Amino acid sequence: MVNPLREKASQNTQENALVLWFEEVGSNDVARVGGKNASLGEMINGLQPKGINIPGGFATTAYAYRHFIEAAELEEQLRQVFADLDVDDFDNLQKRSKKARSLILQTPFPEELREAFAQAYQQLCDRYGEDTDVAVRSSATAEDLPEASFAGQQETYLNVQGVNGVLEATQKCFASLFTNRAISYRHQNGFDHFDTALSVGVQKMVRSDSASSGVMFSIDPESGFKNAALISAAYGLGENVVQGSVNPDEYLVFKPTLVRGYRPLLEKRLGSKEIKMVYDVGGSKMTKNTRVPQSQREQFCLSDSEILQLAHWAAEIENHYSQVNNQETPMDIEWAKDGILGELFIVQARPETVQSQKSTNVLQTYRLKEHSDVLTTGRSVGAAIGQGKAHVILDSSKIDLFQPGEVLVTSRTDPDWEPIMKKASAIVTDQGGRTSHAAIVSRERGIPAIVGSGNATEVIKTKQEVTVSCAEGEEGRAYSGLLPFDVEEKTLDDLPFTRTEVLMNVANPDQVFSLAAIPCDGVGLARLEFIIANHIEAHPLALTHFEELEDESVKAQIAELTKCYENKPQFFIDRLARGVGMIAAAFYPKPVIVRLSDFKTNEYANLLGGNPFEPKEDNPMLGWRGASRYYDQRYREAFGLECRGIKQVRDEMGLTNVIPMIPFCRTPEEGQRVVEEMARHGLERGVNDLQVYVMCELPSNVLMAEEFSEVFDGFSIGSNDLTELTLGIDRDSALVARLFDERNEAVKQMVKMAIEAAKKKGCKIGICGQAPSDYPEFARFLVEAGINSMSLNPDSLLETRLTVAEVENKG
C-alpha cells in the first residue's frame, strides 16, 4: 500500500513534514526526529535486511513540535517560567517543571497536527491490525549522543491503543521535555532548553508481556571490556529492567569467537524476577505489574540459543554503527521477545556513553585498608569506594531532604531521582541489575553503587556511617563505619617492551575484565581451586553421586545450588567452563595457563558434600594431591569433569588459548598417565593445538626436567612449593617461617638448573610463584638466568615490567 504521507514528505524534502516513517530516516536525522527515532530508522534500513527484527512505526517530527509551540505562542510563556530557574533548589525546580508541563498539556494540538498524527496511526493499523497496540516514546533532538545519553529523561507509554490514546500519549511526551530530571540533565550538560525539540516515536508493541525483554550492551558496562556483550532479561515488558524494579537474569557472551560460529556463553546468572509488567486488559491503566510464579522465577527466561542470537545481533549492531560513525561505537540496546510470535526483536539502540568515553591510558585502583561487619551485598557498579552517612529514602517526594555527600539507600531509582544522585557519595538499592537506571546513572557520574541487594533499606539506617566498596569484584559490599582506603593511579603510556614475557596471576574470574586493561602477555597462572570453591562450591563426587548422599541437609543444599540442573555433574562442567572461559576471554588470544585442581584432602573435604569422599591424612601437603589424584580410581571420575569443562572452553567456546597445567606431578611416568587420562575425555595433546604444561615445584621436576619435557610442552616454576621442599620447611609452621625464603641460594640453584634443562630441550619455562612479585631482586635473577616468562600478581606487574626491561637493557 502506498503511503501518502511518505510521498508528501518526500515532495517537501522532509523539512516541514509533521510525520516521517522510520524507513524514511537514518542516523543523520537526529535534528528532525531525535536520537531514538533516527536510530530506529537507521536499523530498519541497514540491519533489518540482515535478519534483525525491528518493529515498524513512525515519528512525529521536531518541526511538528516547534509548530505546536509556535502556533500556541508558548515559548514566551515558558521562558518566563524558567526566568529564575535554580536546578540546585529542588523546590524551585519542581515548581518550574510542573508549570511548564501544565502549559503544554492544557494547550490543544492544532488541527493539522491532530490530523497528521491520526492518519499515520491509522496507516500503522492498516499494516498490523485494527487498534494496533503501540509504544509511544519520546525522542529528543539532543539525546543518544556519544557524550550524553539523555536516556530516560522523557516519558514512554506502553500498550497505547486507538487514535485518542495515541494523541494523548504524544502530548504527554511533548510535556515530558520539561520533567524535573530532563531540565536538570540539560542544565548539567550545557544544552539550551529552547534549542531542544521533541519528536515522538509510535512503534508497534512487541508482545513481551507474554514472554520476556530486557537490555543489552555490546561492551561490558562495568569494566569497559569491549569483547563481551552483557544481556539482562526478565519476564514481561521491559520497563521493569530499565527502571531497576526487578533483579534480572544476566548473561555474558564473548563476541570474537561468537561471530566465528562458536557458543561462548561465559556467564549465566539467575535473577529473582519477582514481578513482571503486562497489559492491563480492561483496567484503568495501560499496564500493570503481577507476581511471577516461583517455578518461573527459578528458570532462566531465555534459552542458550536465544542468548547467543541476541549477542550476535549486538555485535552486528555495534559493527554497523561503528562503520556509520567511522569509529568504534559500543551500543546500549533494548530487546523484547514476542510471546505470540515466538520471535526476538530489537526495539531501541543508542551509543553507550560511559565506558566508551573513558581514558584508557590511566589505571585507577581502589583498595580497602581495613574491613568491618558487612551490612549487605549486591552487584557492584563502578570499581570504586564511597562512604558517608546513609540516608534511606523510599519515596521520590522526599528526595529534597537528601544532603550532598550522603550515601543514598533506596528500593530503586528512576529518572526522577537524578537531581540528587549526582550529590551522593555512593548508592545502594534493594532492586535492579547492572543495566538498571541506578547502575547506568552511577557509572555516568562515577559513583560506586550496589544494586539488587534485596535488603539494604531494612538493614541500613539513616545517619549510619557506611563504606560502600565496589572494588572487590562483582559482589559489592556495604561495610559498617567509615573505613580507610587507598586510591592508586598508574599511567599506562610508554611501557617498555621486554623480551621476557610478563604474564599475570589471576584468581577471581569476576575481576578479570578489569585486570585485562593492565598491559601483559597473558595469564601465567589461573587456579581452578578458586572457581571450584567459590563458583561451584560442591565436591565433584557429591554431584556425580548425588542420589547416594546420606546427609539430607547436604543433599538439600546441593539441590538448591543446582536447581536449574537435572544433570548434577553438568552443573560442575558448566560452572568450571564459564569461570575458565571468563579468564580466557579477557586475555584472548594471549595464552592463559590454567592449573588443574590442586586442593589437598582436607580442602576437598571442606567442599559441600566432600567428607564421605576424602580420606584423613596427617600431612595433606605431601599426600594425595595434584596429579596423583587424576588417574586414581577413587577420583578419576571427578577429574573427568574438569577435563570436560576445559574441553567445553576450547571446543565449544572457541577459546583455544587455554593451556591446561598439571600440578604436583612426581614422576614422568605419572605425567604420562595423566596425559592419557586427559585424552580419554577429549583433551588430546597436539590435537586442536592443545599444549599441556606441568608445574615445576618438586626437586624431582628439576632433576628429571629433560625427561618431563618429553611428556609436556612447557614448565612453570612454583616457587612456594619448590622452596618448601628444597629447604624441608613446612611453610604453614610459625616455628620455622623465618627460614622460608625463595632467595635462598639452594632454591636459586634449583631454579637455574630447571631453566637450563628446559632450554636445552627447547621447552618453554616460566615462573608463576610468589617470589618475583615480592622481591625485585629475584625478578632480576630470573631474567639473568634466561627464563622465558614470569607471571606476577596484578599489583606488582607494571613495576616488575620496568625492572625486567632495566635488566634486559643492561645485558
Side-chain angles (χ1 to χ4, degrees):
M1 179 178 176
V2 176
N3 185 331
L5 279 180
R6 289 163 69 182
E7 282 192 346
K8 181 180 179 182
S10 297
Q11 291 165 6
N12 293 334
T13 65
Q14 300 184 348
E15 293 298 333
N16 58 352
L18 301 175
V19 170
L20 291 171
W21 291 82
F22 292 152
E23 290 88 345
E24 296 179 294
V25 297
S27 58
N28 294 326
D29 293 305
V30 174
R32 287 197 182 99
V33 294
K36 191 178 285 110
N37 291 331
S39 183
L40 283 168
E42 182 66 37
M43 288 193 294
I44 282 176
N45 289 308
L47 291 165
Q48 196 163 261
K50 297 181 179 180
I52 297 179
N53 298 329
I54 301 134
F58 63 88
T60 72
T61 62
Y63 173 80
Y65 169 82
R66 291 192 172 102
H67 178 66
F68 167 63
I69 296 295
E70 183 180 339
E73 299 180 348
L74 287 174
E75 182 171 340
E76 186 55 38
Q77 297 177 66
L78 289 168
R79 287 189 179 276
Q80 290 177 14
V81 169
F82 291 118
D84 60 347
L85 172 67
D86 182 356
V87 295
D88 295 318
D89 181 339
F90 184 76
D91 186 57
N92 175 289
L93 173 63
Q94 195 171 39
K95 287 178 179 176
R96 301 299 174 276
S97 169
K98 185 177 180 180
K99 191 165 184 180
R101 282 181 281 123
S102 294
L103 277 172
I104 291 175
L105 291 172
Q106 291 168 9
T107 303
F109 279 152
E111 186 57 36
E112 57 272 25
L113 260 65
R114 290 181 60 86
E115 182 180 342
F117 299 167
Q119 283 187 17
Y121 174 68
Q122 187 55 56
Q123 287 159 18
L124 197 63
C125 291
D126 292 342
R127 185 189 303 183
Y128 290 109
E130 187 177 355
D131 283 339
T132 288
D133 49 341
V134 292
V136 181
R137 306 179 191 275
S138 305
S139 179
T141 57
E143 75 176 355
D144 293 352
L145 307 175
E147 67 277 5
S149 72
F150 284 78
Q153 299 307 313
Q154 287 85 39
E155 298 293 355
T156 289
Y157 299 92
L158 304 178
N159 186 25
V160 178
Q161 298 181 22
V163 170
N164 289 336
V166 169
L167 291 172
E168 180 183 347
T170 300
Q171 192 155 12
K172 287 180 179 177
C173 286
F174 279 12
S176 72
L177 193 59
F178 297 104
T179 58
N180 299 351
R181 60 195 185 246
I183 295 167
S184 176
Y185 196 89
R186 281 196 298 273
H187 178 82
Q188 293 162 19
N189 287 277
F191 288 87
D192 188 280
H193 298 299
F194 300 99
D195 285 346
T196 305
L198 196 106
S199 167
V200 175
V202 179
Q203 183 182 36
K204 173 69 179 79
M205 282 286 295
V206 175
R207 292 301 303 270
S208 58
D209 57 305
S210 55
S212 57
S213 58
V215 175
M216 62 179 173
F217 287 86
S218 67
I219 184 174
D220 178 53
E222 276 312 302
S223 63
F225 181 67
K226 294 179 179 180
N227 283 338
L230 175 71
I231 302 168
S232 295
Y235 296 114
L237 303 176
E239 290 301 291
N240 283 339
V241 176
V242 175
Q243 294 171 2
S245 302
V246 294
N247 295 341
D249 295 342
E250 287 187 0
Y251 316 109
L252 203 58
V253 181
F254 185 59
K255 294 183 296 182
T257 57
L258 173 73
V259 298
R260 288 168 43 209
Y262 291 96
R263 298 173 63 84
L265 184 44
L266 300 178
E267 184 178 54
K268 290 174 69 175
R269 188 182 292 263
L270 190 69
S272 57
K273 309 182 294 292
E274 295 179 3
I275 59 173
K276 65 176 178 178
M277 185 178 287
V278 298
Y279 283 12
D280 189 12
V281 179
S284 58
K285 296 182 179 179
M286 294 173 284
T287 60
K288 65 179 180 182
N289 276 315
T290 63
R291 304 292 297 180
V292 175
Q294 185 68 28
S295 60
Q296 290 184 24
R297 290 172 54 190
E298 293 180 354
Q299 297 175 9
F300 291 106
C301 56
L302 287 175
S303 69
D304 288 0
S305 294
E306 289 170 336
I307 295 164
L308 296 170
Q309 181 179 342
L310 284 172
H312 200 281
W313 283 0
E316 288 266 17
I317 292 168
E318 178 184 69
N319 182 57
H320 177 83
Y321 279 87
S322 297
Q323 291 177 3
V324 168
N325 298 327
N326 291 316
Q327 63 179 18
E328 283 190 0
T329 307
M331 299 296 290
D332 171 356
I333 303 159
E334 292 182 29
W335 63 271
K337 179 181 177 181
D338 194 303
I340 297 171
L341 301 175
E343 295 182 19
L344 294 166
F345 289 84
I346 301 299
V347 296
Q348 282 192 60
R350 63 182 71 86
E352 191 274 344
T353 58
V354 180
Q355 295 296 345
S356 57
Q357 301 299 305
K358 281 188 176 180
S359 170
T360 57
N361 67 337
V362 176
L363 184 68
Q364 191 177 62
T365 307
Y366 285 72
R367 286 192 184 87
L368 273 179
K369 298 170 72 175
E370 296 177 12
H371 293 79
S372 65
D373 292 339
V374 176
L375 302 173
T376 190
T377 64
R379 304 303 306 279
S380 62
V381 176
I385 297 171
Q387 57 186 204
K389 289 185 176 180
H391 195 147
V392 181
I393 302 179
L394 300 177
D395 188 335
S396 62
S397 66
K398 303 288 179 59
I399 62 176
D400 59 314
L401 301 175
F402 189 82
Q403 299 300 309
E406 291 181 327
V407 174
L408 175 61
V409 181
T410 186
S411 177
R412 66 179 180 87
T413 68
D414 61 37
D416 286 332
W417 293 70
E418 288 183 30
I420 68 160
M421 292 174 76
K422 63 182 180 181
K423 302 176 183 178
S425 60
I427 297 170
V428 187
T429 69
D430 290 340
Q431 301 167 353
R434 290 198 292 162
T435 58
S436 64
H437 174 268
I440 290 170
V441 173
S442 296
R443 287 189 204 102
E444 193 169 293
R445 299 292 178 204
I447 301 166
I450 296 172
V451 297
S453 69
N455 65 350
T457 57
E458 298 172 13
V459 299
I460 299 176
K461 308 302 178 186
T462 293
K463 296 188 178 179
Q464 181 178 4
E465 292 183 332
V466 296
T467 296
V468 174
S469 174
C470 296
E472 301 170 88
E474 287 198 354
E475 183 180 75
R477 302 184 181 110
Y479 293 95
S480 175
L482 305 180
L483 303 178
F485 63 91
D486 287 331
V487 184
E488 183 181 2
E489 284 194 354
K490 290 183 178 178
T491 302
L492 304 180
D493 291 339
D494 303 322
L495 286 174
F497 168 79
T498 59
R499 294 186 298 277
T500 307
E501 291 183 346
V502 179
L503 301 100
M504 188 185 299
N505 292 337
V506 173
N508 186 352
D510 294 344
Q511 295 179 307
V512 288
F513 286 172
S514 297
L515 294 176
I518 302 173
C520 69
D521 297 308
V523 173
L525 177 63
R527 302 177 180 90
L528 279 198
E529 294 91 342
F530 187 95
I531 296 170
I532 294 171
N534 293 279
H535 291 248
I536 297 172
E537 301 179 40
H539 194 288
L541 292 175
L543 295 168
T544 56
H545 298 277
F546 174 74
E547 296 300 335
E548 302 162 32
L549 295 176
E550 295 179 359
D551 188 324
E552 292 301 324
S553 172
V554 167
K555 200 168 183 179
Q557 291 179 67
I558 292 178
E560 175 62 23
L561 188 67
T562 61
K563 60 189 175 186
C564 292
Y565 284 83
E566 288 187 20
N567 181 344
K568 305 304 180 187
Q570 192 63 43
F571 169 81
F572 185 98
I573 295 166
D574 287 351
R575 284 293 180 93
L576 184 139
R578 288 171 191 153
V580 173
M582 285 283 288
I583 300 170
F587 294 89
Y588 183 85
K590 299 172 184 175
V592 171
I593 301 171
V594 178
R595 189 181 74 186
L596 301 183
S597 63
D598 192 26
F599 283 128
K600 289 71 178 176
T601 51
N602 58 320
E603 295 168 334
Y604 268 117
N606 287 333
L607 294 173
L608 191 58
N611 258 320
F613 303 100
E614 294 297 328
K616 300 290 189 293
E617 293 187 284
D618 291 332
N619 191 350
M621 182 69 77
L622 295 179
W624 195 40
R625 59 177 285 200
S628 61
R629 296 179 73 100
Y630 300 161
Y631 57 87
D632 191 302
Q633 196 61 40
R634 292 166 295 178
Y635 191 78
R636 65 190 304 191
E637 186 179 19
F639 180 64
L641 301 184
E642 287 186 41
C643 293
R644 287 163 64 187
I646 299 296
K647 179 177 171 60
Q648 186 169 304
V649 175
R650 289 178 52 88
D651 293 0
E652 294 182 28
M653 297 183 181
L655 296 166
T656 53
N657 56 325
V658 167
I659 301 171
M661 180 164 66
I662 310 305
F664 225 76
C665 185
R666 293 175 169 97
T667 68
E669 293 76 20
E670 183 170 63
Q672 186 59 44
R673 293 190 69 175
V674 171
V675 169
E676 290 169 1
E677 192 69 23
M678 293 173 69
R680 286 183 63 243
H681 299 284
L683 288 178
E684 189 170 351
R685 183 178 169 218
V687 175
N688 197 18
D689 298 322
L690 176 65
Q691 298 182 68
V692 182
Y693 281 16
V694 66
M695 289 290 295
C696 182
E697 54 192 339
L698 307 169
S700 63
N701 299 143
V702 176
L703 296 171
M704 301 191 70
E706 292 189 29
E707 288 80 2
F708 274 101
S709 68
E710 299 293 332
V711 181
F712 296 102
D713 300 287
F715 297 90
S716 186
I717 298 168
S719 57
N720 288 349
D721 276 355
L722 187 59
T723 300
E724 181 175 49
L725 295 169
T726 299
L727 299 179
I729 290 174
D730 178 358
R731 67 175 185 260
D732 292 332
S733 171
L735 299 173
V736 291
R738 68 188 186 282
L739 299 174
F740 184 92
D741 191 341
E742 299 97 319
R743 296 167 295 179
N744 181 281
E745 190 58 36
V747 178
K748 290 171 69 175
Q749 285 296 323
M750 295 290 278
V751 169
K752 196 170 183 180
M753 285 171 60
I755 293 172
E756 288 172 353
K759 299 194 89 168
K760 178 181 177 182
K761 298 293 289 185
C763 201
K764 274 196 169 185
I765 185 165
I767 187 169
C768 62
Q770 189 69 24
S773 292
D774 289 345
Y775 308 117
E777 64 269 32
F778 198 86
R780 292 190 185 95
F781 156 72
L782 291 168
V783 176
E784 290 166 353
I787 201 161
N788 296 123
S789 66
M790 60 182 77
S791 192
L792 305 148
N793 297 337
D795 58 357
S796 61
L797 189 144
L798 295 179
E799 291 174 9
T800 308
R801 179 183 282 275
L802 296 175
T803 301
V804 170
E806 179 188 338
V807 177
E808 289 181 347
N809 289 336
K810 285 182 180 177

